Amino acid sequence: HGTLEVWQDGQQFRALIERRWRLWLLTFALAIASILLSLSIAYQRLIDRPLRRLLEGVHQMEMGYWSGLQLPRGAWELRWLAYRFRNLGSQLEETVRHLVEAERRALLGLSTSTPADGRPAPAAFAPAGATRDETVFRRRLLRRYLVSRCRYLEARGPRDSGAVAAARETWEHDVLEAERLGEGRLKSRLEDAALRILEPETFAGIVQQISALSYTQKPWLRLREAEIRKVLGQAKTKPRALQHRVKHPAGILRKMRSKGLALEQIHDIVAFRIVVPTEQSCYDVLHAVHERFEPLLLRFKDYIAHPKKNGYRSLHTCVKAPDGVIFEIQIRTPEMHDQAEGGTAAHWRYKASPGRPVPEPAKRRAFDTHRPVPAEPKLVTQGVRPDNLLP
C-alpha cells in the first residue's frame, strides 16, 4: 500500500477562508440593506404617506367637512378604508340635511308633493278581466292553502323528509304569496315554521335569545306605547292607528345573516307604526318624537320628501328609550300605508320584480301580531299549487 501526503501552507489556507467569509458577509449585508431600503420606500409610498393623508381627511371630517375626504394612493386597504370613511361622511351629511329639512317642515308647516294616485294597485294574483267574485274566490282559496301548509309544517319535525321539502318550498315561494295577500301574521308563521324544520338548532337558539330580551315583553311594550301616546298628545295629533310588533325569529335571523350583525346590533326588533291623518302631521309627530326620545342620527330616513324608487313613502327613525333600548318608529298617512301594503310600493312587488333572485324571508314585517289566524277548513291540496292559482 502507498501513502499520499498533501502539503499546504496553513497560513495561506486560513487567509483564503477569511476572504471568502468576508465576501459572503458583505454580500449578505448588501442583500439585507437592499431589502430594508425597498421596504422603507414601499412603506413610505404605500402606507405612511397615504395614512397621513387619510388622517388629515379624518381631521377635516372632525371639523365638519364630512364629504371632503380624498381617496389617497397607496395600499388598497387604505384606499378602501378612505372610501368607507368618505361614504360615512356623505351619509351623515345627507342624513343631517334630511333631518333638518324634516324639522323645518314641522316648525313651518311645509309639505311635500304627494303622488296623484295613492290607491293600492289591484292584486297581482287577479287575472285581467276577473270579476270581483272571482278575485275574492281566488284569494280565499290561496289563503286556505297557505293556512293548511302552515299547520302542516307546525305539526311536523325536522326529521320528516316530506316536511323538509315543503319547508324549503315555503321559504322560497309560499312566504311571498302570504305577503301578497296582505297576511303579515300568516307570513311570519310560515317563515318561522319553515326555519324550525330547515335549521332546528338555529331556530331554537334565536328564540331563546329573543325571549331573554326584556324589551320584547308586554310590560315594556305597554310602557313605550303609553309614552308615544303622550308624545302624540303634545303634537296635538290624533292617530288613525298606533301599532307595534316584535320581529319574528326568522326575520331576525335573515337580517343578521344578510348584514353580518349581532342580535344587539339590530335596531328594529321592536317597532311602532303611527298612522296619522295628514302629511304635515307626520312631521309634527316626528318633531315631538325626537323631543321625547334621543334619535340615532344615521338611522333616520325621510321617504316622504325623498321616496324610494318604487314609490314607498314614510318616515323612519330609530330612537333610544330612557332605559337605553333602541327601537324603530314609522310614521305615515293612511294613503301611504295603503300604498305600502297593497299598492305599487308594496314590498312583495319589489321582491317579485323581474331579474330578482329567488325570494328569501321578506323584509316587511307583520305589525298586527295579536290577531290570530282564524280556523279554516282543511283544504285538499293534491295537485294544487300556488302557481296553479295564479294567472
Side-chain angles (χ1 to χ4, degrees):
H1 298 283
T3 301
L4 177 64
E5 295 183 2
V6 179
W7 294 86
Q8 184 174 358
D9 188 349
Q11 187 175 0
Q12 292 181 356
F13 179 73
R14 286 194 295 271
L16 178 62
I17 294 299
E18 290 177 359
R19 284 197 301 270
R20 290 184 177 180
W21 269 106
R22 283 196 296 269
L23 180 61
W24 183 84
L25 288 175
L26 179 61
T27 304
F28 182 76
L30 290 175
I32 294 296
S34 62
I35 291 174
L36 292 177
L37 180 61
S38 300
L39 289 176
S40 177
I41 294 174
Y43 173 78
Q44 291 292 330
R45 296 189 59 182
L46 299 179
I47 299 178
D48 184 65
R49 191 182 304 172
L51 184 58
R52 289 185 181 181
R53 292 191 60 184
L54 176 59
L55 292 176
E56 290 174 0
V58 172
H59 179 62
Q60 292 178 358
M61 292 175 65
E62 292 175 345
M63 294 189 296
Y65 301 97
W66 295 331
S67 58
L69 181 64
Q70 300 297 321
L71 297 182
R73 295 181 179 180
W76 71 267
E77 293 91 346
L78 289 176
R79 287 187 279 118
W80 176 83
L81 187 60
Y83 171 77
R84 299 301 295 269
F85 268 115
R86 190 172 70 174
N87 250 8
L88 178 63
S90 300
Q91 291 178 15
L92 183 60
E93 191 172 30
E94 183 178 1
T95 303
V96 171
R97 181 170 59 84
H98 290 174
L99 184 59
V100 171
E101 289 177 357
E103 294 291 339
R104 182 169 173 265
R105 291 189 186 96
L107 295 175
L108 301 182
L110 302 177
S111 62
T112 60
S113 58
T114 305
D117 187 7
R119 296 173 299 176
F125 47 78
T131 65
R132 182 178 180 277
D133 291 341
E134 291 173 342
T135 302
V136 171
F137 172 76
R138 295 168 74 88
R139 286 176 58 93
R140 187 176 301 167
L141 187 62
L142 178 56
R143 187 182 185 281
R144 287 185 178 183
Y145 164 77
L146 294 174
V147 170
S148 176
R149 172 56 64 90
C150 182
R151 290 173 177 168
Y152 170 79
L153 293 177
E154 289 176 342
R156 295 298 188 275
R159 295 184 179 181
D160 188 333
S161 59
V164 171
R168 187 173 295 108
E169 188 175 8
T170 296
W171 184 269
E172 295 176 351
H173 300 291
D174 294 342
V175 166
L176 179 60
E177 300 301 332
E179 192 169 21
R180 294 171 72 173
L181 287 173
E183 294 285 344
R185 169 66 174 169
L186 180 57
K187 178 194 79 78
S188 300
R189 281 182 58 182
L190 283 167
E191 277 185 323
D192 287 344
L195 182 63
R196 183 185 64 85
I197 291 178
L198 295 175
E199 301 183 46
E201 294 182 1
T202 303
F203 179 79
I206 195 70
V207 168
Q208 185 177 5
Q209 292 182 65
I210 296 172
S211 301
L213 299 175
S214 61
Y215 56 88
T216 61
Q217 309 303 319
K218 288 184 179 180
W220 191 93
L221 295 171
R222 284 197 293 264
L223 181 59
R224 296 289 86 77
E225 182 176 345
E227 290 179 339
I228 292 176
R229 291 193 181 278
K230 289 182 180 179
V231 168
L232 292 171
Q234 294 173 359
K236 299 179 180 179
T237 301
K238 186 176 181 180
R240 297 286 181 88
L242 174 56
Q243 305 164 328
H244 72 267
R245 67 100 181 94
V246 177
K247 200 174 184 70
H248 60 289
I252 292 177
L253 183 63
R254 183 201 59 78
K255 190 165 188 176
M256 290 171 62
R257 288 178 173 176
S258 64
K259 298 191 175 183
L261 300 175
L263 183 67
E264 58 271 12
Q265 293 177 299
I266 300 179
H267 296 153
D268 63 340
I269 293 179
V270 172
F272 288 83
R273 176 180 292 162
I274 307 172
V275 181
V276 293
T278 65
E279 184 178 303
Q280 180 57 44
S281 301
C282 293
Y283 290 100
D284 293 339
V285 171
L286 176 72
H287 178 72
V289 165
H290 285 176
E291 282 190 338
R292 177 64 182 83
F293 302 102
E294 178 186 350
L296 269 68
L297 196 56
L298 289 178
R299 301 299 300 172
F300 169 73
K301 302 292 182 182
D302 186 353
Y303 293 125
I304 296 180
H306 308 275
K308 290 186 177 182
K309 292 181 180 180
N310 63 351
Y312 176 83
R313 305 174 76 235
S314 182
L315 294 177
H316 290 199
T317 184
C318 286
V319 296
K320 184 181 294 186
D323 57 3
V325 175
I326 297 173
F327 63 100
E328 184 182 68
I329 295 179
Q330 299 177 5
I331 309 170
R332 60 177 63 162
T333 65
E335 294 76 19
M336 296 175 192
H337 180 70
D338 292 340
Q339 187 74 4
E341 294 297 313
T344 56
H347 193 72
W348 64 263
R349 292 182 181 274
Y350 167 75
K351 284 282 187 180
S353 59
R356 296 287 300 176
V358 174
E360 293 180 352
K363 293 182 182 177
R364 186 175 64 82
R365 281 83 63 185
F367 277 76
D368 193 6
T369 58
H370 301 292
R371 179 173 59 84
V373 178
E376 293 281 354
K378 187 173 181 180
L379 178 68
V380 179
T381 59
Q382 184 175 2
V384 180
R385 292 293 310 122
D387 295 340
N388 302 127
L389 303 177
L390 303 181

